[in-house]
Amino acid sequence: QLTNWFLEQYVGEQPGLKSLSDRLSTTDQFPGLFRQSSGVVQGKLKQALANAVAAWQPQRGVEVLDELACTALKIDATGSIGPLIRVMDNEVLAGVDVAEVVVGALAEFAPDEEVRVALERWVNDKNLDDRLAGYLMRGRARCEPERCAEFVRTFLAVVRKRPRDFDLNFIFFILMQEDIGADVFTAHFSELSDEEQNVVLGALRNDLFVQTEKLDEGYIFSLRSLRD
């Protein structure tokens, strides 16, 4: 019943789960209830969520998969990683929208060995949509921060082909502030070519973005000093 509830939450209430549906009108409410539950119940909820991901089909809509993935992240349901990877590897299921949900979620689950192996495999898949390059870079960097310059270089090679498809300000801000940390990024910045360094600095010099997101100007100064 729990697995069905996860899958059907946008379609209607499940028989026998009215009280649960009343309490969990949105996925945002679920993590609060999860944290109040016993360890045994939490384990069952995580398993039900993983089962729901595994049972997802395109006719249910990509929005449902997105909510399942987001919920899995919020409660650290790592048992959903395998099912998400299998969704991505299923050619019948994995359209562009689905791939964006799956790769984006897995990037957030990183660091994780299962995620690392999957992302490494997909980055070499020539059939993978280029628009996923930002997620792939972030997830790989989270798994192996010491290789972040290599991953940035691979990402920028895609950006050169499709410059309008990426918000570089946002991507590099998240990479520095949340994924690997500005200190790690700064330590490896010199491994990038002059051209690559200029692209990164150009993105981070957007004063409005920096002011809005409160990015520490000290890190930009450090990067600029390394470049100069």
Side-chain angles (χ1 to χ4, degrees):
Q1 285 185 320
L2 282 171
T3 296
N4 288 338
W5 179 84
F6 279 121
L7 285 168
E8 301 291 346
Q9 58 182 310
Y10 293 109
V11 180
E13 294 180 353
Q14 288 294 297
L17 285 181
K18 186 175 189 306
S19 60
L20 185 59
S21 298
D22 288 343
R23 295 177 68 183
L24 305 179
S25 57
T26 68
T27 304
D28 287 338
Q29 293 174 279
F30 178 79
L33 180 61
F34 176 85
R35 287 189 290 272
Q36 297 171 21
S37 303
S38 68
V40 173
V41 172
Q42 288 183 359
K44 291 181 178 180
L45 290 171
K46 286 184 176 182
Q47 185 59 57
L49 182 56
N51 291 344
V53 173
W56 179 85
Q57 293 291 320
Q59 59 266 30
R60 295 188 180 277
V62 70
E63 297 84 3
V64 172
L65 181 63
D66 189 32
E67 288 296 327
L68 292 172
C70 288
T71 302
L73 284 167
K74 288 178 181 178
I75 65 172
D76 194 30
T78 55
S80 297
I81 290 175
L84 283 169
I85 291 173
R86 287 190 285 277
V87 168
M88 181 69 179
D89 285 337
N90 188 323
E91 294 181 0
V92 176
L93 302 181
V96 174
D97 292 341
V98 170
E100 185 173 5
V101 167
V102 172
V103 178
L106 292 175
E108 296 294 333
F109 268 120
D112 177 272
E113 180 61 16
E114 194 174 7
V115 170
R116 185 195 67 77
V117 171
L119 297 182
E120 191 76 21
R121 176 162 51 85
W122 293 333
V123 80
N124 295 313
D125 184 349
K126 295 181 179 180
N127 294 319
L128 200 69
D129 194 284
D130 284 342
R131 286 171 289 182
L132 300 174
Y135 293 120
L136 289 170
M137 176 192 68
R138 290 184 50 224
R140 296 173 78 199
R142 288 172 69 115
C143 288
E144 300 180 90
E146 70 281 359
R147 296 177 62 193
C148 64
E150 173 189 343
F151 303 146
V152 168
R153 185 175 299 113
T154 300
F155 169 62
L156 291 178
V158 177
V159 172
R160 280 193 286 271
K161 294 187 296 182
R162 305 181 65 160
R164 297 184 180 181
D165 287 342
F166 302 97
D167 183 348
L168 296 185
N169 303 115
F170 176 77
I171 290 173
F172 283 118
F173 171 79
I174 294 296
L175 180 68
M176 291 178 64
Q177 291 292 87
E178 297 185 9
D179 291 333
I180 62 173
D183 290 335
V184 173
F185 189 83
T186 301
H188 293 277
F189 184 69
S190 61
E191 298 171 26
L192 299 173
S193 69
D194 288 351
E195 178 187 357
E196 292 161 347
Q197 291 177 11
N198 285 333
V199 172
V200 174
L201 284 173
L204 295 176
R205 281 171 177 156
N206 184 326
D207 292 337
L208 178 61
F209 181 83
V210 170
Q211 181 178 0
T212 301
E213 301 295 346
K214 298 181 174 59
L215 180 63
D216 188 340
E217 276 283 0
Y219 287 120
I220 299 177
F221 178 78
S222 298
L223 294 177
R224 189 181 296 119
S225 298
L226 288 170
R227 172 66 185 90
D228 296 339

